[in-house]
Amino acid sequence: MILDLVSLPLLLTLHVGISLIGIISGLIALPAMASGHWVPRTQAVFLVTTLLTSLTGFLFPFHGFTPAIGVGVISTLDLIVAFVALIALDRAGWARATYAVSATVALWLNLFVLVVQAFQKVPALNAFAPTGTEPPFLAAQALLLIAMLVLGAAILRRGQARDARNAASRITA
């Protein structure tokens, strides 16, 4: 097992570090995409580190199915869709929207876990929501979801506007 080669604290440090890189790069890449800018290296860092976050999460010792495993499975499947859409981006009309949605979902899942961990580990936040079912926790997650829906909609709107301009230029050419 991997824990025979790497200590649990080291695995945790690597997992958290990779996750934070994925979150930061996603918070750069996706808003840039919403404003019409494609930052390929940042997108690549975001996708790879977000996938590594999910995969390293499976290396922790666990007994049975947990919510963390569920999020990891959903995130991994979502990222597979994002990678396929990214590969097809130049060749298929569906790819841009698929990538926009799957990349936004991937970032949201990473941020969702960040909020959960923050409420569990930061004493000031934990005091407001010690079980993770209290209104402050639910409000934070609701605000996060709304922000991600707005971001995803902005990315989709930008892509649709670009597709309409491209179609119009093909017709007039």
Side-chain angles (χ1 to χ4, degrees):
M1 176 161 196
I2 192 75
L3 290 177
D4 295 335
L5 303 172
V6 177
S7 70
L8 189 57
L10 179 59
L11 177 61
L12 180 61
T13 301
L14 288 170
H15 176 74
V16 170
I18 292 167
S19 176
L20 291 175
I21 292 168
I23 289 169
I24 291 166
S25 59
L27 289 172
I28 294 168
L30 271 56
M33 208 173 148
S35 64
H37 302 289
W38 180 257
V39 283
R41 287 187 187 109
T42 308
Q43 290 285 351
V45 168
F46 164 62
L47 289 175
V48 169
T49 54
T50 302
L51 181 60
L52 286 173
T53 297
S54 294
L55 296 178
T56 58
F58 294 124
L59 299 176
F60 289 96
F62 59 89
H63 304 287
F65 188 81
T66 65
I69 297 294
V71 170
V73 167
I74 292 167
S75 180
T76 302
L77 294 173
D78 175 67
L79 286 161
I80 290 168
V81 171
F83 277 104
V84 168
L86 184 61
I87 290 166
L89 209 54
D90 290 336
R91 296 181 297 248
W94 59 266
R96 185 177 292 117
T98 302
Y99 180 76
V101 170
S102 58
T104 303
V105 168
L107 180 59
W108 170 66
L109 288 171
N110 243 357
L111 290 169
F112 177 88
V113 172
L114 177 67
V115 170
V116 169
Q117 292 295 316
F119 272 91
Q120 287 178 350
K121 309 275 192 264
V122 176
L125 292 175
N126 187 266
F128 288 112
T131 67
T133 58
E134 293 80 5
F137 174 79
L138 299 175
Q141 290 292 12
L143 287 173
L144 173 62
L145 179 59
I146 291 166
M148 296 310 296
L149 289 171
V150 168
L151 176 62
I155 294 169
L156 286 172
R157 233 183 350 267
R158 174 65 70 168
Q160 288 172 341
R162 181 180 297 123
D163 290 345
R165 281 192 309 274
N166 290 344
S169 67
R170 281 192 300 268
I171 291 170
T172 59

